[in-house]
Amino acid sequence: MAPTEPSPDWTAEQAITHLQSLASAHNVEGMGRYGIETSNALGVSNAVLRPLARTLKRNHQRAIDLWASGIREARLLALFSEEPKKVTAEQARAMAPEFNSWEIVDHAADLFCDAGLVDELIPEFAADERQFVRRTAFAMMAWGAVHLKKRPDADVIAWLPLIEDHATDNRNFVKKAVNWALRQIGKRSMGCHSPALELAEKLAASDDKTARWIGRDAVKELTAEKTLARLASKGKKRQA
């Protein structure tokens, strides 16, 4: 049985026992309404999981064991408490076939970016026909465009051809991630804004319904006064 208070010394088994004590059927029902996969869920919210991960602290082996459980909350706790520097492309590839929810994908994408795997995994996962694996590539782009601040803009702009290549994938969780990636790239900096907007306008004029939706939605955000003002402000700060 797990101790009353969470501890960095906890094993995956102890953490799972604690999570099971917090289970809520009511919360599981609510999660389902947001498109979260709940077939193996306990109903513990991220608002509880994130502080728990901070208390447990990062532990690579425990994260692997938590992931192996297959439980939604344990897998999220694994992603939140993993040690990014110890995550390899091989580990990411082993995890990807088990992705079954946009929620898991998006948090895994954050981890893979922090692990420095963008160059290796983005093209590979984008080429993968499985919906949630492909989504991972574009979720990585979206996260990376915002958080990989030390990477040159040219590296981020280089993702745009992949966005164009897959803008006709009409599967819900793919097209939304493609759109998300395009918008985040365009909002990264003035240098990224112009090529991203150019692609958005091209897609908006496409004969393909999905590409047209992705493009029009991105154009709307990238030409909004609020977006342009924020980019101008960021530009001034860089010059100061």
Side-chain angles (χ1 to χ4, degrees):
M1 181 178 293
T4 304
E5 294 298 324
S7 163
D9 296 328
W10 271 10
T11 63
E13 183 179 359
Q14 288 173 306
I16 290 170
T17 297
H18 179 68
L19 291 172
Q20 289 170 333
S21 74
L22 303 175
S24 167
H26 175 75
N27 287 350
V28 170
E29 183 180 352
M31 289 172 179
R33 291 195 290 270
Y34 288 93
I36 293 173
E37 171 57 46
T38 60
S39 59
N40 205 2
L42 299 173
V44 183
S45 72
N46 288 358
V48 173
L49 294 174
R50 284 194 177 278
L52 176 58
R54 289 194 291 270
T55 299
L56 295 181
K57 301 191 182 301
R58 296 187 180 277
N59 184 301
H60 178 58
Q61 185 56 54
R62 187 182 60 216
I64 289 175
D65 295 340
L66 285 168
W67 181 266
S69 74
I71 300 169
R72 169 196 174 267
E73 286 76 7
R75 287 192 158 182
L76 287 172
L77 189 60
L79 297 173
F80 297 156
S81 63
E82 177 61 279
E83 298 178 71
K85 291 183 179 179
K86 293 185 179 181
V87 176
T88 65
E90 289 70 26
Q91 180 182 344
R93 292 187 184 104
M95 294 166 65
E98 299 179 15
F99 292 163
N100 62 356
S101 168
W102 64 266
E103 178 193 35
I104 292 290
V105 165
D106 293 358
H107 291 303
D110 300 351
L111 174 63
F112 298 162
C113 282
D114 292 344
L117 300 175
V118 291
D119 296 325
E120 189 168 359
L121 294 185
I122 283 179
E124 179 181 329
F125 283 178
D128 197 298
E129 290 295 334
R130 289 169 292 186
Q131 178 175 200
F132 288 116
V133 179
R134 180 168 288 174
R135 180 184 173 92
T136 307
F138 295 99
M140 287 178 73
M141 292 182 197
W143 176 266
V146 175
H147 296 279
L148 299 181
K149 299 182 186 299
K150 294 183 179 180
R151 295 293 294 261
D153 283 351
D155 290 358
V156 176
I157 292 169
W159 297 335
L160 291 175
L162 287 173
I163 289 176
E164 183 172 6
D165 288 345
H166 297 289
T168 57
D169 189 328
N170 66 2
R171 292 175 293 180
N172 185 54
F173 294 115
V174 175
K175 72 178 184 180
K176 287 186 175 180
V178 172
N179 169 262
W180 180 27
L182 180 56
R183 290 185 289 108
Q184 294 300 85
I185 291 173
K187 294 187 293 182
R188 175 182 170 92
S189 67
M190 279 296 194
C192 290
H193 180 266
S194 180
L197 179 58
E198 182 179 350
L199 175 56
E201 290 173 338
K202 180 179 180 181
L203 295 177
S206 172
D207 292 333
D208 182 86
K209 181 180 179 180
T210 301
R212 196 161 58 245
W213 174 82
I214 289 170
R216 287 177 177 175
D217 187 72
V219 167
K220 181 179 179 180
E221 183 164 357
L222 295 181
T223 57
E225 288 186 16
K226 186 176 180 179
T227 299
L228 297 174
R230 187 183 301 115
L231 285 169
S233 177
K234 288 174 67 174
K236 289 178 181 178
K237 289 180 180 179
R238 288 185 179 183
Q239 293 172 3

